[in-house]
Amino acid sequence: MGNEEIFPIVDLQGNVTGKATRRECHSGSMLLHPVVHLHVFDTDGNIYLQKRSLNKDIQPGKWDTAVGGHVDYGETVECALRRESREELGLEHIEPAHLVTYDFTSDREHELVNVFCITVNRETFNPHIDPVEIDEGRFWSNEEVEAAISCGILTPNFEQEYMRIKSLIAICPK
């Protein structure tokens, strides 16, 4: 992924108002740009997390949402979600449920986060992780996630998002 990727700039409703490079969006400009997150749950309610590659420019080596990525300029949120799911975990033919959309601000960027979920059968779930993006992945129990919060193991964005969605998990398709 190069710094010259072009992202849409959006308003809080997701309407495109312009475009900017990845570098511009991650430089502290606070240009609001859309991203997608896919939470993968097993039938027991455990959540699959990815450990971000040490090569990532933001939050390297921390555990994060199963799939996360930027929406490219000219791409819909749904197409970006399917593309990122395929690229990061090799997931095809998914039918995700939309959980929530919210804005997130860090010290480097401002994102409009579109959150989706799926439920998988753990015995047949066989992700093909992208070794450039992800070091490893595994299912975590809710107790493990909650014990890791504020310990520097999880990305701050995931911690905040987990607290936001944990009451919505029941609407994830089984």
Side-chain angles (χ1 to χ4, degrees), residues 59-160:
Q59 299 295 326
K62 292 197 177 178
W63 290 90
D64 201 1
T65 309
V67 172
H70 291 87
V71 176
D72 292 333
Y73 186 74
E75 184 177 43
T76 67
V77 166
E78 293 76 16
C79 285
L81 180 67
R82 292 182 190 287
R83 175 181 50 77
E84 290 288 347
S85 297
R86 187 176 51 255
E87 289 175 0
E88 292 188 11
L89 294 182
L91 298 177
E92 300 275 356
H93 312 296
I94 60 172
E95 295 301 326
H98 180 258
L99 289 178
V100 67
T101 297
Y102 67 94
D103 69 300
F104 174 78
T105 303
S106 73
D107 60 344
R108 292 181 60 181
E109 63 181 332
H110 188 192
E111 297 176 331
L112 186 64
V113 185
N114 299 277
V115 184
F116 296 83
C117 69
I118 60 172
T119 301
V120 298
N121 179 328
R122 194 167 177 167
E123 285 73 43
T124 59
F125 181 64
N126 185 24
H128 301 284
I129 64 172
D130 177 349
V132 174
E133 299 274 329
I134 303 169
D135 283 346
E136 63 180 293
R138 72 171 179 89
F139 281 97
W140 293 55
S141 69
N142 291 324
E143 294 78 20
E144 286 178 296
V145 171
E146 295 200 13
I149 289 176
S150 298
C151 293
I153 298 167
L154 308 169
T155 66
N157 190 348
F158 173 76
E159 289 181 356
Q160 180 190 72

Side-chain angles (χ1 to χ4, degrees), residues 2-14:
N3 282 334
E4 295 313 310
E5 288 175 277
I6 304 296
F7 299 154
I9 303 306
V10 298
D11 62 20
L12 288 172
Q13 290 72 45

Side-chain angles (χ1 to χ4, degrees), residues 1 51-56 129-135:
M1 300 275 166
K51 188 173 185 186
R52 295 172 61 83
S53 167
L54 292 174
N55 299 321
K56 298 294 278 183
I129 64 172
D130 177 349
V132 174
E133 299 274 329
I134 303 169
D135 283 346

Side-chain angles (χ1 to χ4, degrees), residues 10-72:
V10 298
D11 62 20
L12 288 172
Q13 290 72 45
N15 301 307
V16 177
T17 61
K19 60 185 176 179
T21 65
R22 170 187 278 270
R23 183 181 351 203
E24 290 171 308
C25 290
H26 290 181
S27 68
S29 66
M30 298 306 161
L31 294 169
L32 182 62
H33 57 287
V35 299
V36 292
H37 288 175
L38 178 69
H39 292 281
V40 177
F41 295 96
D42 69 12
T43 53
D44 293 326
N46 297 304
I47 188 168
Y48 185 87
L49 299 181
Q50 62 154 283
K51 188 173 185 186
R52 295 172 61 83
S53 167
L54 292 174
N55 299 321
K56 298 294 278 183
D57 62 339
I58 295 177
Q59 299 295 326
K62 292 197 177 178
W63 290 90
D64 201 1
T65 309
V67 172
H70 291 87
V71 176
D72 292 333

